[in-house]
Amino acid sequence: MAPTTRQPAEHQDPPAADAPASPAARGKGRPRSAAADQAILDATREALAELGWGGLTMGDVAQRAGVAKTTLYRRWPSKSELVVDAIASLFDQLECADRGSLQADIEAVVARFAELLTLPETQAALLALFAEGSRDPQLRRRIRERIVQPQKVLVELGRANAQARGEMDPDRDPAAADEEIGIIFDTIAGTVEHRLLVSGEPVTPEWIRRFTTLLLGPFPGLLHRPAAGA
Amino acid sequence: MAPTTRQPAEHQDPPAADAPASPAARGKGRPRSAAADQAILDATREALAELGWGGLTMGDVAQRAGVAKTTLYRRWPSKSELVVDAIASLFDQLECADRGSLQADIEAVVARFAELLTLPETQAALLALFAEGSRDPQLRRRIRERIVQPQKVLVELGRANAQARGEMDPDRDPAAADEEIGIIFDTIAGTVEHRLLVSGEPVTPEWIRRFTTLLLGPFPGLLHRPAAGA
Amino acid sequence: MAPTTRQPAEHQDPPAADAPASPAARGKGRPRSAAADQAILDATREALAELGWGGLTMGDVAQRAGVAKTTLYRRWPSKSELVVDAIASLFDQLECADRGSLQADIEAVVARFAELLTLPETQAALLALFAEGSRDPQLRRRIRERIVQPQKVLVELGRANAQARGEMDPDRDPAAADEEIGIIFDTIAGTVEHRLLVSGEPVTPEWIRRFTTLLLGPFPGLLHRPAAGA
Amino acid sequence: MAPTTRQPAEHQDPPAADAPASPAARGKGRPRSAAADQAILDATREALAELGWGGLTMGDVAQRAGVAKTTLYRRWPSKSELVVDAIASLFDQLECADRGSLQADIEAVVARFAELLTLPETQAALLALFAEGSRDPQLRRRIRERIVQPQKVLVELGRANAQARGEMDPDRDPAAADEEIGIIFDTIAGTVEHRLLVSGEPVTPEWIRRFTTLLLGPFPGLLHRPAAGA
DNA sequence: TCGTAATCGAGACGGTACGTCCTGTCTTATC
DNA sequence: GATAAGACAGGACGTACCGTCTCGATTACGA
C-alpha cells in the first residue's frame, strides 16, 4: 500500500535543452511541453524584474506563463530552484574575448559582471538566492553549478590568456594556482556584488579601472614581473 | 470605523539604550517595558540561528520572548527592521586595536569580519537583509547605518592608524581618500561575504594572509613606499 | 518543543446562541464575532440553495459572508459540519400544535417535513449530509442531534397528545414505546425523504392523506381483510 | 485546436453484457476490452467499500483496475455514472420467491433490501448517488432505471402474488393501483434506508416483523381501536 | 485618590500564498 | 481505433503567516 517503487519523475528538472537523452529512456506518456519550460522561465524573469523576490509568487508565474501551477511544480520543487534556473540562463552566455592584456581582460570581466548585476531581475534575485542557499546545501550546490561557476570560468580563462601571453609565470603548482584563482574570483565577484547590491553605488569605468589596479598589485607569483624581483 | 484621534506613537523605535529622552516628552501612560525590547532581540537572534531567515516568524519571536505580537509591532514595523536591530547589536561591538602594521591591522579586520559571518544568526540574516534592502530604500538606509557603517569605520580606523605610523602618504585630496576607503571596504567586506556565504568555503588564517597580501599590492597613493624596490 | 498543553480553542463550535457561559471562563483575547457566525450560516444556506452541495465551496461561503477562510475554519472543521449547523437552524423551529386527532397531527407533521424538504437548501444538503455521515460517526452523531432529533420530537409529541386524548392505550412498557416511536419515525421521515428526494415526486395533501391512513391501520383497499377481528 | 472530424463513440456506455451488438456496427479499430469493463466495475466497488464515496477517485479506480484513465472515461462520463453501474449490478440480482403470504413476502423483501444496504459499498454510494441525482436529472433517470426500478419490481411482484392468492381485492382502477404501489414502495425503501443509513441502527428480524405488521394494518398497541377488536 | 492614558497578554480578524490533490482532456507511442 | 502512460489546465483544499483589531487587565503619572 505504501508507495515503494512509485516515483514517476516528479520534480524532475527539465533537461538542459541539449541533453538528447537515450532514446530508449524516453518516457511512455505524453512528453513534457518544452514550450512550457521556456514560458515559465521567461515569466519568472519578468515577474522578478517587476515584483522583486518577495513579490514573486508561484501562482503568479504560472498565470503569466499560461500554465497550471501543477506544471510548474512538476519541474521545480520550489521558488528558489525555479529562480536559479531562470537567472542561470542570464549567466551562461558569459564570454570573454582576449583583449590583449591582463588588466584589460579583468576590466572587461568586471564590466560584464556589473552589467549582469544591474538587470532588475538579477538585482531582485541574486542576494535572495544566496541567502536561501546558506540554509540549503542542495540549493547552494545548484547555485554554484549554474550561476557561480560560469562566472568563475571567465576568471580562469583570463588567467590562461595571460599565461599564454607570457604575462604570468607558468604554474609551478596546479593546486596553488587553483587557490589563487579562488581568491581572485571571490574578490572580483564579491566586491562587485557588494558595491552594487549592498552599498548600492554604481560601477563606473573609472571605478573598474581603480579596482582592477588594486587587484593587480604585486600578487606574489601571479604576475611574471622579472624587474620587480631583480 | 477609521481610528479618529488615536495614534499614540506607534512604530516608534526603542531608544538606543542610552538616549535619556527629554523627561517632559515622556508620555503619560504606562511606560514601555525595557525588558521586552531585550527579550525580543534575543529571541530574534535565537530564532534566526535556529530556523533561518525564512523560518523566522513574528509570532514565533513573540512567543519566544514571552510577549504579545502587538508589543512587537509597536516597536518594529516589520520583520526586516527587527532583524536589522537584532543583528546590528552584533556589529556594534566591533573594534580594532592598532597592531603595529597595516598588514596586521587588515588581517585583524578580516578575521573579525569572518568571525561575525560565521555565527549562525548572521549567516541566516545578512544576505537576506541585503536582499530585502535592495527593494526598500528606507530599509537599505537603516542597514547601512546599523550594520555596514560600523564595519566601514574599522577600515577607516586602520587607514588612520597607518597614516599615523607613516606607512601611507598623507591625504592630498579628502574626496579621493573617501573613494579609496570605499573601494577597499567593498573589497574586504564583499570578498569575505562571498567566500563564506556564497562559495561556502572557510576563511582560514592562511587565506586571510594571502588575501591581505593581494590587497596591499601597490595601490597608487595608498601606500607610502618611497623605496618600493629597495 | 512539542505542543503539549497548547490547544487554543481551535475548531470550537460557536455557542448555541443561548448558553451564557460562565463569566469567569470568558477567554482572554478578542472575543469571536457573533455577527460572523450568523453571516457564515446565512451565506452557507444561500450558497447551498444556489449551487448545491457539490458546488458549495468553503472559499465561496467565506467570500459571501465577508469573512476570511480562517474565520470559517476556526469554527467549523469541515464543510459537512458547517452545513449541519446551517441546515439545523431550519429544523429547530419545528413545532406541532395539537390538531385534535392523531390522523390530523400526523398529517401536519408529514406536511411540515415535506415543506422543509422542498426548500432548495435542504434538497441540496440533506442526502449529501447523510451520505457523509455514513462514514463519519462523529458527524453522524451531530446530524442526529441537530437535525434528526428535532424531527423525532414531533412524533413523540404527537404520540403524547394522542395518549392525552385517549386515542391510544397507555404505555405498558416504556422501552417498547420508545421502539415504537423509532419505527414510526423512521417510517415517516424515510418515506417522505424517499418520495421527495429519491423518487422525486411531490408530496400532495392527497398523498399525505393516503400515507397517513396506511400508517394508521387498514389501508383501504390494500388489504382484503373480510374478518379483521376474527 | 478544436477536434474537427474525430469523435469515435466517446462516452458510449458498455453494452449491458447481453446485447451482442450488430456485427456490422463493430468499428474498424481495436475492439474495446470486455475484461476492462468488469475490472473497472469490480475496482469501483472495492474502492467504494474501502474509501467511501468521498475517497473514491477516478485515478485510483483506474489504477486498481490496471487500466488507463482514458479507458475509464471512454466508457463512463463521470464518477457518478460509473458508480451507478457498479452499484446497479448488486441490485439486479434481486428476486423474490412466493413465500405464501403477503406478510412473509414483504418481510423477505425488507430483509433483502436491508442486506444490500449493509454492504459497505452500498452504504458508501447509495445516499451519495441520490444526493448527486437531486441536481442532475440525467443521472436521476439513470439511477431510477438501474437501481430504484429493480427494487420496485419486487414490490409489484409481491402485490401480484398476493392478488393471485386472493389476499387482496382485485384492482378496480389500475392508476390507483400504481399509486398504491408507489406509496408502499416509498415507504418500504425509505424506511429501511432511513433506519440503516440515517439512524444508523440495525435491521433485525424482530424489527422487520414489527415494521411489516405496521405496514399491513393495526400496529399492536399503537392504536386504541376498541371497535377493531370487537 | 482618583482618572486618564498608554501599555501589556491574548487571540480573533481579513487577507494572501502556499503546496497538494483531483478532475476531465490532451498527446504520445504501442498494440 | 483502442490502449497504457502520463502531462496538461483548472480549481478547491486546508494550513500558515501577515499585520491589524479588539478585548480585559496593568501600570504609571497628573489632577
Side-chain angles (χ1 to χ4, degrees):
Chain A
M1 183 159 281
T4 44
T5 54
R6 276 282 293 299
Q7 199 159 332
E10 290 288 319
H11 291 324
Q12 187 168 313
D13 266 39
D18 42 5
S22 60
R26 220 189 135 289
K28 286 209 276 188
R30 173 175 173 176
R32 290 199 180 161
S33 158
D37 284 333
Q38 204 49 53
I40 291 170
L41 291 176
D42 291 348
T44 303
R45 275 188 299 274
E46 182 188 304
L48 218 38
E50 215 168 282
L51 311 165
W53 169 270
L56 187 72
T57 294
M58 295 301 259
D60 181 58
V61 169
Q63 201 166 344
R64 283 168 190 259
V67 141
K69 263 200 299 174
T70 325
T71 301
L72 214 157
Y73 279 109
R74 219 188 309 275
R75 292 159 161 83
W76 291 278
S78 77
K79 178 164 152 175
S80 306
E81 313 265 349
L82 168 60
V83 172
V84 170
D85 283 9
I87 292 296
S89 68
L90 298 173
F91 282 79
D92 54 29
Q93 326 149 357
L94 281 176
E95 55 184 29
C96 187
D98 187 332
R99 273 171 177 76
S101 80
L102 185 54
Q103 169 107 17
D105 278 6
I106 292 186
E107 287 187 9
V109 166
V110 170
R112 193 76 188 85
F113 280 12
E115 191 182 337
L116 279 178
L117 294 195
T118 310
L119 295 175
E121 49 266 49
T122 320
Q123 294 249 9
L126 206 61
L127 286 179
L129 278 183
F130 290 161
E132 294 283 311
S134 71
R135 278 248 131 196
D136 178 351
Q138 171 82 22
L139 177 63
R140 166 177 287 184
R141 191 176 52 73
R142 200 185 176 84
I143 293 173
R144 215 141 43 200
E145 284 171 11
R146 311 286 316 269
I147 296 186
V148 177
Q149 198 54 37
Q151 297 179 281
K152 200 165 183 178
V153 165
L154 280 199
V155 175
E156 287 165 354
L157 190 66
R159 180 195 168 86
N161 286 341
Q163 280 184 332
R165 280 189 304 256
E167 283 181 285
M168 298 177 65
D169 292 334
D171 286 331
R172 287 141 310 203
D173 177 1
D178 261 18
E179 213 180 303
E180 274 168 27
I181 293 275
I183 295 187
I184 303 269
F185 172 66
D186 283 340
T187 304
I188 294 180
T191 305
V192 174
E193 284 160 14
H194 200 270
R195 171 86 179 173
L196 281 170
L197 304 178
V198 180
S199 295
E201 285 162 43
V203 166
T204 61
E206 165 67 8
W207 185 90
I208 294 180
R209 198 190 54 71
R210 298 179 69 147
F211 170 62
T212 307
T213 306
L214 164 65
L215 213 58
L216 287 184
F219 193 63
L222 170 65
L223 288 181
H224 171 63
R225 277 183 310 179
Chain B
M1 188 161 279
T4 47
T5 51
R6 284 274 296 295
Q7 199 158 331
E10 291 285 321
H11 292 323
Q12 187 166 315
D13 266 36
D18 41 5
S22 61
R26 247 187 105 284
K28 284 206 285 188
R30 173 174 175 175
R32 288 195 182 167
S33 157
D37 283 331
Q38 204 49 53
I40 291 170
L41 291 175
D42 290 348
T44 303
R45 274 190 300 275
E46 181 189 303
L48 263 178
E50 214 169 282
L51 311 166
W53 168 270
L56 186 74
T57 297
M58 294 302 259
D60 182 57
V61 169
Q63 202 167 338
R64 282 167 191 260
V67 140
K69 267 201 298 174
T70 324
T71 303
L72 213 158
Y73 278 109
R74 220 187 310 271
R75 291 158 162 85
W76 290 277
S78 77
K79 175 167 154 175
S80 306
E81 313 268 347
L82 168 60
V83 172
V84 169
D85 282 11
I87 291 297
S89 67
L90 298 172
F91 282 80
D92 54 28
Q93 324 151 356
L94 280 175
E95 55 184 27
C96 188
D98 187 332
R99 273 170 178 75
S101 79
L102 185 53
Q103 169 107 17
D105 277 8
I106 293 188
E107 287 186 10
V109 166
V110 170
R112 195 75 188 87
F113 280 11
E115 192 182 337
L116 278 178
L117 295 194
T118 310
L119 295 176
E121 49 265 49
T122 321
Q123 294 249 6
L126 203 62
L127 288 179
L129 278 183
F130 290 160
E132 294 284 309
S134 72
R135 281 247 133 195
D136 178 351
Q138 170 83 21
L139 177 62
R140 165 176 286 185
R141 191 176 51 72
R142 201 182 174 88
I143 293 173
R144 224 159 11 216
E145 285 170 9
R146 311 285 317 267
I147 297 185
V148 177
Q149 198 55 37
Q151 296 178 281
K152 201 165 182 177
V153 165
L154 279 199
V155 176
E156 287 165 353
L157 190 66
R159 179 194 169 87
N161 286 343
Q163 281 183 333
R165 283 190 302 258
E167 284 180 286
M168 298 178 65
D169 292 334
D171 287 330
R172 286 140 311 200
D173 177 2
D178 262 16
E179 212 180 304
E180 274 168 26
I181 293 275
I183 294 187
I184 302 273
F185 172 65
D186 284 339
T187 304
I188 294 179
T191 305
V192 174
E193 284 161 14
H194 199 268
R195 172 84 180 174
L196 280 171
L197 304 179
V198 181
S199 295
E201 285 163 44
V203 166
T204 62
E206 165 67 7
W207 185 90
I208 294 180
R209 199 192 52 73
R210 298 180 69 148
F211 170 62
T212 308
T213 306
L214 165 64
L215 213 58
L216 288 184
F219 193 64
L222 171 64
L223 287 181
H224 171 65
R225 278 183 307 176
Chain C
M1 185 159 281
T4 43
T5 54
R6 276 281 292 299
Q7 198 158 332
E10 290 287 320
H11 293 321
Q12 186 167 312
D13 266 38
D18 43 5
S22 60
R26 219 190 136 290
K28 286 209 277 188
R30 171 175 174 176
R32 291 200 179 159
S33 158
D37 283 332
Q38 203 48 55
I40 291 170
L41 291 176
D42 292 347
T44 303
R45 274 189 299 274
E46 181 189 304
L48 217 37
E50 215 169 280
L51 311 165
W53 169 270
L56 187 73
T57 295
M58 295 302 258
D60 181 58
V61 169
Q63 201 164 346
R64 283 168 191 259
V67 140
K69 263 200 300 175
T70 325
T71 301
L72 214 157
Y73 279 109
R74 220 189 307 273
R75 291 159 162 82
W76 291 278
S78 76
K79 178 166 150 175
S80 307
E81 312 266 348
L82 167 60
V83 172
V84 169
D85 282 11
I87 292 297
S89 67
L90 300 172
F91 282 79
D92 53 29
Q93 324 150 356
L94 281 175
E95 53 184 28
C96 187
D98 186 333
R99 273 171 178 74
S101 81
L102 185 54
Q103 169 105 19
D105 277 8
I106 293 188
E107 287 186 10
V109 167
V110 170
R112 194 75 187 87
F113 281 10
E115 192 182 335
L116 278 178
L117 296 194
T118 309
L119 295 176
E121 49 266 49
T122 320
Q123 293 250 7
L126 206 61
L127 286 179
L129 278 183
F130 291 161
E132 295 284 311
S134 71
R135 278 248 130 197
D136 178 350
Q138 171 84 23
L139 177 62
R140 167 178 288 184
R141 191 177 53 72
R142 201 185 176 85
I143 293 173
R144 217 146 34 205
E145 284 171 10
R146 311 286 316 266
I147 296 185
V148 176
Q149 196 56 37
Q151 296 178 281
K152 200 164 181 178
V153 165
L154 280 199
V155 175
E156 288 165 353
L157 190 65
R159 179 194 169 86
N161 286 343
Q163 280 184 330
R165 283 189 302 257
E167 283 181 285
M168 298 179 65
D169 292 334
D171 287 331
R172 286 141 310 204
D173 178 2
D178 263 18
E179 213 181 303
E180 274 168 26
I181 294 275
I183 294 187
I184 304 270
F185 172 66
D186 283 339
T187 305
I188 295 179
T191 305
V192 174
E193 284 160 14
H194 200 268
R195 172 84 179 176
L196 280 170
L197 305 178
V198 181
S199 295
E201 284 162 44
V203 166
T204 62
E206 166 66 7
W207 185 90
I208 295 181
R209 198 191 53 72
R210 296 179 70 146
F211 170 62
T212 308
T213 306
L214 164 64
L215 213 57
L216 286 186
F219 195 63
L222 170 65
L223 287 180
H224 172 64
R225 276 184 311 177
Chain D
M1 186 159 280
T4 47
T5 52
R6 283 275 296 295
Q7 200 158 331
E10 291 285 322
H11 292 324
Q12 185 166 316
D13 266 37
D18 41 6
S22 61
R26 248 185 103 277
K28 285 206 282 188
R30 173 172 173 177
R32 286 194 181 168
S33 157
D37 283 331
Q38 203 49 54
I40 291 170
L41 291 175
D42 291 348
T44 303
R45 273 189 301 272
E46 181 188 305
L48 263 178
E50 215 168 282
L51 312 165
W53 168 271
L56 186 74
T57 297
M58 295 301 259
D60 182 57
V61 169
Q63 203 167 337
R64 283 168 190 260
V67 140
K69 267 201 301 173
T70 325
T71 303
L72 212 157
Y73 277 108
R74 219 187 310 272
R75 290 161 162 84
W76 290 277
S78 77
K79 176 165 153 175
S80 306
E81 313 267 348
L82 168 61
V83 172
V84 169
D85 282 10
I87 291 296
S89 68
L90 298 173
F91 282 80
D92 54 29
Q93 324 150 357
L94 281 176
E95 55 184 27
C96 189
D98 186 333
R99 273 171 177 75
S101 80
L102 185 53
Q103 169 108 16
D105 278 9
I106 293 187
E107 287 186 9
V109 166
V110 170
R112 193 78 188 87
F113 280 11
E115 192 182 336
L116 278 178
L117 295 195
T118 310
L119 295 175
E121 49 266 49
T122 321
Q123 294 246 8
L126 202 63
L127 287 179
L129 278 182
F130 291 160
E132 294 284 308
S134 71
R135 279 246 135 195
D136 178 351
Q138 171 83 22
L139 177 63
R140 166 177 286 187
R141 192 175 50 72
R142 201 183 174 87
I143 293 173
R144 224 158 13 215
E145 284 170 10
R146 310 286 318 267
I147 296 186
V148 177
Q149 198 54 40
Q151 296 177 281
K152 201 165 183 178
V153 165
L154 280 199
V155 175
E156 287 164 352
L157 189 65
R159 179 194 168 85
N161 287 341
Q163 280 183 333
R165 280 190 303 258
E167 283 180 285
M168 299 178 64
D169 293 334
D171 287 331
R172 289 141 308 202
D173 179 1
D178 262 18
E179 214 180 303
E180 275 168 25
I181 293 276
I183 295 186
I184 303 273
F185 173 65
D186 283 339
T187 305
I188 295 179
T191 306
V192 175
E193 284 161 12
H194 200 269
R195 172 85 179 174
L196 280 171
L197 305 178
V198 181
S199 295
E201 285 163 44
V203 166
T204 62
E206 165 68 7
W207 185 90
I208 295 180
R209 198 190 55 71
R210 298 179 69 145
F211 170 61
T212 308
T213 306
L214 165 65
L215 213 58
L216 286 185
F219 192 63
L222 171 65
L223 287 181
H224 172 64
R225 275 183 310 180

